[in-house]
Amino acid sequence: MIHRRPREDASWQTAVDLATDPSSSTVAEVARALGVDPTAGLTFEDAELRARDVGPNAITTGERPRIWRMVLASATQPFVVLLLVAGLGAVFLGEVRDGLLILFGLVPIVGADVVTEYRGERALEALRAGSAPRATVRRSGRVVEVAAAEIVPGDVVILRVGDVVPADIMLSRVDRLLLDRSLLTGESIPQPARVDPDPSDAALRDRTNVAFSGTSVVAGRGEGIAVATGAATEVGRIAGSLATRERRRSPLQRELDRLVRILVVVAIGLIAITSGLGFIRGNPVGANLLAGISAAIAAIPEEPPVLLAVILGLGAYRLLRRGVLVRRLNAEEILGAIDLVITDKTGTLTCNRLEVESVSDLGGAVTDPRARLRVLEMALRAEDDAWGREPGMGANSFTRCLVRAIEAAGGEGSLDSALLVSTEPVSDDRPWSTTTAVHEGHRETLLFGAPEAVADLVLGQVGPERLAWHAAIENATADGGRVLGLARCSDDSVPAMEAIIGFGDPIRPEIATATKVARAAGIQVIVVTGDHPATARAIAAQAGLDAGRVVTGETLDRWSDHELAREIPGLVVVARSTPTQKRRIVAVARAGGHLVAVTGDGVNDAPALHGADVAVAMGSGTAVAKEASDLVLGDDSFATLVFGIEEGRRIVDNVQKGLVFLVSTHIALLGFILLATLVGYGQPLLPIQIIWLELFIDLATSVAFEREPAEHNVMRRPPRHVTKPLLTTGLLGRIALAGGFSALAALWLLTSSGGTPDHARWLAFTALVCGQAVRAYANRGLSEPLLRLGRNSVLLGACILAVAIQALIPMVAPLADVFRAAPLDAVDWILVAIAALTPALVAQGLRARRMTWVA
């Protein structure tokens, strides 16, 4: 009889609290609490009414950011606001062309940030399509397929190989059901499911009678009652805790904020000086204020935010080509300063694929290829799943990995189902399967399952051979992997133990090199996993990490935060960890001054991702992990993350070189204007000349720094400390010397030229332009001579083009008129070359002596 509960009786809802923690309850108790007959399921009417009460079986990921909000967030950055005020001020004071050009320069600043975030959100929408869209349930006594979003508490759900579990399900029937729960618990080996109640205090990883939402079926089949859907599932509860994430400003953003504060003071000072001199000389009030505002606008470098936006934007594109999706631009820059990576194991260090890792017997590892192939083929025949499956059921993970191993050894990975006689699957009271089939004309019976149980069944409870096999089993399980025992008898012979087969998730081949590079770069790596300590130790050792000491989550819980902070520098592996413990490690490490990157693919990783400086999700991971991420690794590999760190360091280096170039040229420009004003020149440079110098030449050359290759030692030096500014006091002093020399040289050319005022102005201006072009290329390496650096043909081309256009302007009448340009003779060009090249030659000489210097 189908149980029907009227809509006005919502007592089933009050029972959900019992049902969503059913470990110690029986199936009958849960079915009674949820008002469902497990043999028939809910009626269609009941399911529809409950859906109205509880809503869809979906996790709300938050409102997708609207484009106008992205634009507003980017446009309210301090540097952007300062430029906006400067541009509007110029328009208001009549310098319309100057003001519009400044405002136009804001477009790439805001656009690069918005486009990157928008592209990241669109890509994330595509990644969300990986969740299970359909599910099989019993409704009104019939087996039907429904949208996973329509499942409600009380639904009877049927699970088959390949299914992603659509809700938290209390299991009522299992048939060799194996669940991959790595995305929730971090365990890489599939775990068998049971229907018996678990102890009331069982931890999440030890609950075997519940199939949790988001886990996947890798073998067998099962059936159960949905006890939690949507936000009430284990996945949903974690996702709910991540509703908002603090977006901290990056070190470079904070440095630009600092520069804004400095520039406001400089701008006010320039207004006071220029206007004051005008009043002293008797100039009109309006002209004085306009001169002051123009000087202030010239003092505000429009280029740094453009430089940062373009370099980060192009860096994001470069990373995308390597399969790294950048969701937030500033994550690239922070990644370059990371000094601690907390990584999960499954899928990041390993391949996230079950493989045959070992075949052994009493003599140890079976190394003879023919003997190994014989055992693998025998194991395949012992898997009843390999003989044929019902429609809609795929091969389980053990069958697939045995077939791969056999085919790799040159064998045949298929069986003739006509030869099968009988099978008895694994059950709760018999942890092995029994398969009988005809093989080479004989009736063969194979036992395959828990190695200790198979050995005791075949060899009895006493005897030296039993002790020897148990010792071999203990040796095979030392690394914590999944081990199965294989026994065989032919016709009516006595059963005999044949072998022990170990299964595991193999490490990625590139990981050892990647961890070596990370260590050389001063980056500590901590592996945090839900796996067995022996498994975690073995994988860490293969990854090239010092896995001598493995700390368990239980030990971690006994430490205070002070003790944990003291232990973090020596941590390498944390096994049997929980999501709370992983997040605690992140919080304590960050409180201790570390800049932390966290990798993760599962729901269990999301809380730690949420608290990291850089959150790195896997492309194959859950939507919850991706929602909490700054970067998504398409290939899931730790090695790709190390490439991202190297790219982040290259980006920061190039931003520093660009800033050095821009600040030094602004010092040269402003120094020249200020000194020329002091000595009596009312307008040493025209507004159009300043705009050409700043918005076109400076931007073209500074943006070309993005193509600058990484320095040879970029991954052989410690991470940059985030509290250390890119432009230190010592570096600013060297920048001032270089820029000051160019200002004085241009002033000397202006005052000593024997030509017309326009000729003198153009000669000084040309010296400034050529000096900037030389400075851009000469400052590619602040401590390395140019001959030791690689090539940057884009930057070289931009510099040559700037000088060529400067030389051509006097020859094109319309341009010559606008710029008031006068042709220069050979002597003039020699003087320009001396003024432009002298700082670069001095810098090269000092750098050859291993000194850091600015050209």
Side-chain angles (χ1 to χ4, degrees):
M1 178 178 178
I2 298 174
H3 181 86
R4 176 74 181 274
R5 190 177 297 276
R7 176 169 169 74
E8 59 271 14
D9 179 6
S11 62
W12 67 270
Q13 290 178 296
T14 64
V16 170
D17 287 341
L18 163 68
T20 52
D21 186 16
S23 344
S24 56
S25 306
T26 65
V27 174
E29 289 172 336
V30 171
R32 188 163 51 251
L34 289 172
V36 63
D37 178 359
T39 62
L42 298 173
T43 66
F44 287 98
E45 294 83 357
D46 269 339
E48 183 178 350
L49 293 175
R50 293 189 183 193
R52 294 176 189 172
D53 288 331
V54 300
N57 175 35
I59 299 172
T60 303
T61 55
E63 182 184 358
R64 300 266 68 78
R66 299 178 184 273
I67 292 180
W68 70 267
R69 288 186 181 275
M70 296 180 186
V71 173
L72 182 62
S74 181
T76 52
Q77 300 292 326
F79 217 115
V80 175
V81 172
L82 181 61
L83 293 179
L84 183 64
V85 171
L88 293 176
V91 172
F92 178 75
L93 291 168
E95 297 287 344
V96 177
R97 182 171 54 187
D98 296 20
L100 290 179
L101 284 171
I102 291 173
L103 295 175
F104 178 76
L106 295 176
V107 174
I109 302 172
V110 176
D113 202 15
V114 172
V115 168
T116 300
E117 185 167 354
Y118 179 74
R119 184 184 64 193
E121 293 299 332
R122 288 292 298 272
L124 203 61
E125 289 288 349
L127 291 171
R128 290 189 189 103
S131 58
R134 309 289 294 178
T136 304
V137 299
R138 293 187 190 279
R139 293 264 176 94
S140 298
R142 304 202 315 267
V143 176
V144 296
E145 190 177 82
V146 300
E150 296 175 6
I151 291 177
V152 296
D155 257 324
V156 176
V157 182
I158 298 170
L159 302 174
R160 300 187 178 96
V161 172
D163 285 351
V164 175
V165 180
D168 285 358
I169 297 171
M170 170 90 175
L171 295 168
S172 57
R173 297 180 186 176
V174 296
D175 178 8
R176 296 156 292 171
L177 182 65
L178 282 177
L179 297 172
D180 179 357
R181 307 194 303 174
S182 60
L183 296 181
L184 187 63
T185 67
E187 297 170 300
S188 59
I189 303 298
Q191 301 298 312
R194 301 164 59 90
V195 297
D196 297 333
D198 293 318
S200 58
D201 60 348
L204 180 67
R205 70 166 68 90
D206 298 323
R207 297 183 193 176
T208 58
N209 64 347
V210 176
F212 292 103
S213 176
T215 61
S216 55
V217 180
V218 297
R221 70 196 87 182
E223 189 173 310
I225 302 170
V227 294
T229 60
T233 62
E234 287 292 334
V235 172
R237 280 196 281 269
I238 294 175
S241 69
L242 309 178
T244 59
R245 182 182 176 200
E246 176 193 0
R247 293 297 170 193
R248 296 173 289 272
R249 294 184 67 73
S250 73
L252 279 183
Q253 286 176 320
R254 292 196 296 269
E255 187 151 344
L256 286 182
D257 293 346
R258 169 175 163 263
L259 190 56
V260 166
R261 293 191 294 270
I262 295 172
L263 289 175
V264 168
V265 175
V266 170
I268 293 173
L270 281 173
I271 292 173
I273 293 172
T274 308
S275 301
L277 287 174
F279 281 118
I280 292 172
R281 291 169 181 160
N283 295 334
V285 174
N288 290 337
L289 291 177
L290 184 59
I293 294 295
S294 298
I297 291 173
I300 299 171
E302 300 86 356
E303 308 92 341
V306 180
L307 171 76
L308 183 59
V310 172
I311 288 182
L312 291 179
L314 292 176
Y317 175 72
R318 188 189 296 263
L319 284 170
L320 186 62
R321 289 190 299 175
R322 278 287 297 263
V324 182
L325 172 65
V326 179
R327 296 188 63 214
R328 293 172 183 87
L329 279 179
N330 66 5
E332 301 171 68
E333 174 229 325
I334 302 173
L335 196 60
I338 288 297
D339 63 352
L340 174 61
V341 175
I342 297 176
T343 179
D344 61 344
K345 177 185 71 66
T346 305
T348 308
L349 301 181
T350 66
C351 298
N352 199 18
R353 183 181 68 242
L354 199 65
E355 296 287 358
V356 175
E357 286 198 332
S358 64
V359 177
S360 57
D361 55 21
L362 288 182
V366 177
T367 56
D368 180 73
R370 285 183 295 180
R372 180 183 172 90
L373 178 59
R374 172 183 169 275
V375 172
L376 293 174
E377 290 176 336
M378 196 184 306
L380 184 66
R381 296 195 299 274
E383 274 284 317
D384 76 307
D385 174 78
W387 290 94
R389 291 165 295 280
E390 295 180 5
M393 290 188 65
N396 68 36
S397 57
F398 288 100
T399 297
R400 292 197 301 271
C401 79
L402 285 168
V403 169
R404 284 195 298 268
I406 290 168
E407 291 178 347
E412 178 61 44
S414 61
L415 301 174
D416 182 357
S417 58
L419 300 176
L420 180 66
V421 176
S422 65
T423 64
E424 293 181 53
V426 173
S427 64
D428 289 345
D429 57 352
R430 190 183 63 254
W432 66 82
S433 63
T434 304
T435 302
T436 302
V438 176
H439 176 63
E440 296 181 348
H442 297 278
R443 187 185 180 94
E444 178 187 59
T445 298
L446 297 167
L447 309 178
F448 198 36
E452 296 90 347
V454 172
D456 290 347
L457 176 70
V458 172
L459 303 172
Q461 297 297 315
V462 296
E465 188 177 0
R466 174 185 176 277
L467 293 175
W469 274 105
H470 272 269
I473 292 168
E474 185 176 346
N475 183 59
T477 57
D479 64 357
R482 185 72 181 272
V483 175
L484 298 179
L486 178 64
R488 174 183 182 272
C489 68
S490 181
D491 294 329
D492 295 324
S493 63
V494 177
M497 282 293 293
E498 291 285 342
I500 304 164
I501 303 178
F503 297 86
D505 183 6
I507 193 167
R508 292 175 178 268
E510 70 274 15
I511 294 303
T513 300
T515 58
K516 182 178 179 181
V517 171
R519 288 198 309 276
I523 300 168
Q524 181 185 357
V525 179
I526 302 177
V527 180
V528 179
T529 176
D531 269 318
H532 187 280
T535 304
R537 176 184 285 110
I539 290 295
Q542 293 175 48
L545 301 173
D546 180 8
R549 181 192 183 202
V550 176
V551 175
T552 64
E554 183 180 359
T555 301
L556 204 70
D557 282 339
R558 292 197 295 267
W559 290 343
S560 66
D561 284 354
H562 177 72
E563 290 172 320
L564 176 57
R566 191 175 62 229
E567 295 285 348
I568 279 178
L571 282 184
V572 178
V573 180
V574 179
R576 286 298 188 191
S577 70
T578 65
T580 302
Q581 291 163 347
K582 188 171 183 179
R583 186 171 189 176
R584 182 180 170 223
I585 295 171
V586 174
V588 171
R590 291 191 64 245
H594 289 283
L595 208 63
V596 183
V598 174
T599 73
D601 58 358
V603 176
N604 61 315
D605 297 308
L609 291 169
H610 188 263
D613 291 289
V614 177
V616 185
M618 305 297 112
S620 63
T622 61
V624 175
K626 292 166 191 165
E627 286 290 343
S629 70
D630 299 304
L631 306 175
V632 180
L633 303 183
D635 63 359
D636 297 0
S637 176
F638 180 84
T640 303
L641 173 60
V642 173
F643 168 80
I645 291 174
E646 180 177 355
E647 181 67 9
R649 291 189 175 190
R650 185 190 71 86
I651 285 171
V652 172
D653 283 352
N654 291 347
V655 169
Q656 182 192 45
K657 293 169 186 175
L659 287 177
V660 166
F661 162 67
L662 291 174
V663 174
S664 63
T665 53
H666 269 268
I667 288 175
L669 175 63
L670 293 173
F672 170 72
I673 293 174
L674 185 59
L675 292 174
T677 302
L678 289 174
V679 298
Y681 284 85
Q683 197 173 28
L685 290 179
L686 299 176
I688 187 62
Q689 293 173 339
I690 296 174
I691 292 170
W692 164 246
L693 193 68
E694 290 190 351
L695 286 185
F696 293 96
I697 296 178
D698 277 7
L699 278 181
T701 48
S702 63
V703 167
F705 276 108
E706 194 282 329
R707 296 298 298 272
E708 188 66 23
E711 296 182 4
H712 68 278
N713 66 339
V714 69
M715 292 299 281
R716 292 199 298 271
R717 66 190 190 212
R720 182 179 73 90
H721 201 284
V722 291
T723 60
K724 181 181 179 181
L726 286 180
L727 303 181
T728 62
T729 303
L731 192 56
L732 284 172
R734 294 177 176 88
I735 291 172
L737 285 174
F741 174 86
S742 295
L744 290 171
L747 180 65
W748 178 75
L749 291 175
L750 177 68
T751 58
S752 63
S753 173
T756 65
D758 282 347
H759 176 272
R761 182 191 293 116
W762 187 253
L763 177 62
F765 178 62
T766 300
L768 289 172
V769 169
C770 293
Q772 283 178 274
V774 172
R775 182 174 290 113
Y777 201 77
N779 284 329
R780 291 177 53 217
L782 300 179
S783 57
E784 293 280 351
L786 285 177
L787 295 178
R788 297 179 189 171
L789 301 176
R791 296 172 58 186
N792 186 343
S793 55
V794 174
L795 180 56
L796 179 61
C799 296
I800 293 173
L801 183 63
V803 175
I805 293 176
Q806 183 71 16
L808 288 173
I809 285 176
M811 303 178 187
V812 180
L815 292 178
D817 182 58
V818 170
F819 282 91
R820 295 188 191 177
L824 303 181
D825 58 27
V827 174
D828 291 334
W829 278 108
I830 291 173
L831 294 174
V832 166
I834 292 173
L837 292 173
T838 298
L841 294 174
V842 170
Q844 296 309 306
L846 293 174
R847 289 170 190 169
R849 296 173 175 269
R850 301 186 181 278
M851 293 179 62
T852 298
W853 203 260
V854 176

